[in-house]
């Protein structure tokens, strides 16, 4: 089945990935493709949800906050769309019968709606890395049981997916990273970095949370974990290379010395279109690659002293799934505290590191074992957020 006759749902339709997905769907429709939209969801922005519904004409639209049901009903009144609100409505959006579901909510908040789609065996375009990271083994097991297929959308993982011709013959993977807005900054300069500077990414326009993660390099740490889960590859066989131009999106090294990479201009519509049309391809106009204009591509090792988040993620990945879930949850809290002006930029990694150390003491049993249920994932998530909030509060008061 190609993109031309797929039914789709978009979880997180109002975000950066959600808006790029709308653009791709409109382009496919304009070329005669019949992409029917089953369900869309948004966090709090009802006006943006209404705009998405006018363009996509879904059957069902949901907002995250149950208190916004009336507001959403009013905004969508003329559109002949069923409206829901609150956690069960978000899950219903994932559960409704669409062939393909874009998982593009930010953070662990996307887990339940994504799992509703995984459980019914859909094609899942997975942009929301945090939901995979917090419940990796459980999500992969559920996908194997239901027949759901996870299609990586994160540009690095989509690149690997595209060139993974012989999984059994892979020697190692290399994830590329732009290095973010502070690639050349000193620790002293980063200590004074403001949220607007952290969010101003040199190559990509993205949501605030992933932009801050790109500035700390925690994004690459989370992507290391994502790659380990998606491609069943241990931590020591995944490298990271700083590549400031963001043209080579990642590399697969094979046993015969061949290295395969996927190249494209930094434009998320390319991996989104790839996932939408998979296993086919579809014509979509995107920013095109002009190598002569770029003229040179450069690569360098990441600096772990200036960007400790990458090392924290490696340590968590080696230690197992509960530590990985705790790391990501603590990071969500730390990034929120930074974006709201409570703490400094360097405090983000500090909070994650301290939260992990705290949990080793207070929750040793909880984080030592692989969660065997989503309730156990939620318990780890709560403990990590609690620890991170306490540390953030202390740093904010200091
Ligand atoms: P964003 O902040 O622009 O959008 C997030 C979406 O999630 C919005 O629709 C928002 O309304 C919704 N949302 C936020 N909090 C919610 C909650 N508590 N409950 C329900 N919905 C909620 O983020 P984004 O940049 O589009 O990123 C989305 C995901 O994709 C992230 O996990 C990110 O890491 C990943 N990703 C993004 C990019 C990119 O280029 N933007 C690239 C790779 C991966
Ligand atoms: Mg990425």
């Amino acid at each position: 089945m190609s993109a031309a006759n797929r039914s789709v749902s978009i979880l997180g339709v109002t975000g950066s990935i959600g808006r790029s997905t709308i653009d791709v769907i409109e382009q496919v429709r304009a070329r005669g493709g019949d992409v029917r939209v089953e369900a869309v969801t948004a966090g709090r922005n009802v006006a943006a949800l209404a705009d998405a519904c006018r363009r996509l004409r879904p059957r069902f639209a949901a907002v995250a906050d149950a208190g916004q049901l009336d507001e959403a009903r009013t905004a969508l009144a003329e559109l002949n769309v069923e409206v829901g609100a609150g956690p069960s409505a978000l899950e219903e959006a994932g559960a409704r019968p669409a062939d393909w579901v874009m998982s593009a909510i930010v953070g662990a908040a996307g887990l339940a709606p994504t799992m509703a789609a995984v459980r019914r065996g859909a094609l899942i375009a997975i942009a929301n890395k945090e939901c995979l990271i917090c419940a990796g083994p459980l999500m992969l097991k559920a996908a194997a049981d239901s027949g759901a297929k996870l299609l990586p959308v994160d540009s690095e993982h989509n690149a690997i997916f595209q060139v993974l011709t012989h999984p059994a013959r892979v020697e190692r993977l290399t994830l590329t990273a732009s290095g973010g807005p502070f690639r050349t900054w000193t620790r002293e300069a980063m200590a004074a970095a403001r949220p607007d500077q952290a969010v101003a990414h040199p190559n990509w326009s993205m949501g605030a949370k992933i932009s801050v993660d790109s500035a700390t390099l925690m994004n690459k740490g989370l992507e290391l974990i994502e790659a380990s889960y998606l491609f069943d590859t241990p931590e020591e066989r995944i490298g990271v290379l700083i590549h400031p131009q963001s043209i080579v999106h990642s590399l697969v090294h094979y046993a015969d010395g061949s290295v395969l990479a996927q190249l494209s201009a930094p434009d998320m519509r390319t991996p989104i279109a790839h996932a939408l049309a998979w296993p086919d391809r579809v014509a979509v106009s995107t920013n095109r690659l002009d190598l002569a204009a770029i003229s040179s591509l450069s690569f360098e090792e990441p600096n772990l002293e200036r960007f400790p988040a990458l090392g924290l993620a490696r340590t968590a990945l080696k230690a197992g799934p509960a530590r990985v879930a705790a790391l990501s949850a603590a990071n969500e809290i730390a990034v929120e505290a930074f974006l709201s002006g409570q703490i400094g930029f360097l405090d983000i990694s500090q909070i994650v590191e301290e939260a992990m150390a705290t949990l080793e003491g207070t929750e040793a049993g909880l984080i030592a074992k692989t969660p065997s249920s989503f309730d156990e994932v939620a318990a780890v998530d709560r403990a990590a957020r609690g620890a991170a909030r306490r540390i953030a509060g202390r740093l904010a008061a200091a």
Side-chain angles (χ1 to χ4, degrees):
M1 195 191 297
S2 79
N5 54 2
R6 223 157 228 176
S7 64
V8 307
S9 291
I10 307 165
L11 311 174
V13 75
T14 55
S16 165
I17 292 287
R19 291 192 304 274
S20 292
T21 306
I22 296 176
D23 182 277
V24 168
I25 289 171
E26 286 183 332
Q27 290 197 47
V28 172
R29 282 176 169 174
R31 290 178 166 88
D34 174 27
V35 184
R36 282 175 302 104
V37 179
E38 179 65 34
V40 295
T41 78
R44 308 191 56 84
N45 190 339
V46 168
L49 179 65
D51 178 57
C53 289
R54 265 186 289 278
R55 294 165 68 179
L56 295 174
R57 297 283 165 178
R59 294 191 173 133
F60 180 68
V63 280
D65 181 355
Q68 284 185 301
L69 181 60
D70 288 343
E71 184 188 345
R73 280 205 174 121
T74 306
L76 299 173
E78 280 134 45
L79 289 170
N80 188 27
V81 53
E82 273 180 71
V83 181
S88 61
L90 294 185
E91 275 197 64
E92 181 181 346
R96 285 202 164 212
D99 303 322
W100 185 93
V101 177
M102 168 56 79
S103 168
I105 292 173
V106 59
L111 179 60
T114 302
M115 279 308 304
V118 169
R119 286 196 187 96
R120 63 178 179 78
L123 292 170
I124 317 287
I126 191 104
N128 174 358
K129 64 195 83 183
E130 296 92 347
C131 76
L132 177 65
I133 287 164
C134 75
L138 289 172
M139 187 184 286
L140 294 171
K141 166 84 168 54
D145 289 348
S146 71
K149 172 90 183 159
L150 303 184
L151 304 168
V153 172
D154 212 344
S155 54
E156 298 76 5
H157 307 74
N158 180 265
I160 291 170
F161 184 62
Q162 290 202 36
V163 299
L164 200 55
T165 55
H166 295 73
R169 296 285 176 252
V170 172
E171 219 166 57
R172 63 196 173 87
L173 308 174
T174 298
L175 298 174
T176 53
S178 70
F182 305 149
R183 179 172 61 90
T184 59
W185 288 33
T186 62
R187 292 276 295 173
E188 294 67 39
M190 281 192 266
R194 298 184 313 266
D196 60 304
Q197 295 171 309
V199 167
H201 195 278
N203 303 342
W204 303 92
S205 158
M206 312 181 286
K209 197 266 178 178
I210 183 176
S211 296
V212 174
D213 285 345
S214 299
T216 58
L217 284 201
M218 182 57 92
N219 183 52
K220 213 48 55 179
L222 298 178
E223 290 184 357
L224 193 76
I225 297 162
E226 187 185 8
S228 176
Y229 285 167
L230 284 173
F231 307 117
D232 193 19
T233 304
E235 178 272 335
E236 64 274 11
R237 290 207 286 126
I238 311 175
V240 171
L241 209 49
I242 303 294
H243 167 45
Q245 298 83 13
S246 299
I247 299 298
V248 175
H249 294 297
S250 279
L251 309 108
V252 177
H253 307 250
Y254 286 98
D256 60 4
S258 291
V259 182
L260 267 60
Q262 182 265 356
L263 284 69
S264 54
D267 183 336
M268 287 307 294
R269 290 175 301 182
T270 293
I272 292 168
H274 176 264
L276 180 63
W278 182 88
D280 198 354
R281 285 186 189 266
V282 69
V284 169
S285 92
T286 59
N287 300 331
R288 291 312 209 224
L289 182 58
D290 181 348
L291 284 175
I294 295 161
S295 111
S296 71
L297 301 176
S298 58
F299 301 91
E300 66 199 41
E301 293 288 344
N303 182 318
L304 295 180
E305 279 82 54
R306 284 191 297 125
F307 299 100
L310 193 50
L312 296 176
R314 279 200 186 275
T315 304
L317 178 55
K318 274 187 280 201
R323 263 104 166 186
V324 156
L327 171 101
S328 183
N331 181 60
E332 281 195 43
I333 295 301
V335 171
E336 276 170 26
F338 171 68
L339 284 171
S340 66
Q342 284 174 263
I343 58 163
F345 180 76
L346 296 179
D347 294 337
I348 300 171
S349 298
Q350 179 66 33
I351 289 168
V352 175
E353 182 169 9
E354 274 193 45
M356 296 304 287
T358 304
L359 295 175
E360 295 294 344
T362 57
E363 301 286 354
L366 185 64
I367 63 166
K369 70 187 276 276
T370 297
S372 59
S373 68
F374 287 93
D375 285 346
E376 286 183 19
V377 169
V380 171
D381 186 274
R382 264 194 311 276
R385 282 172 202 263
R389 271 196 199 98
R390 284 189 291 279
I391 299 160
R394 195 196 75 221
L395 292 174

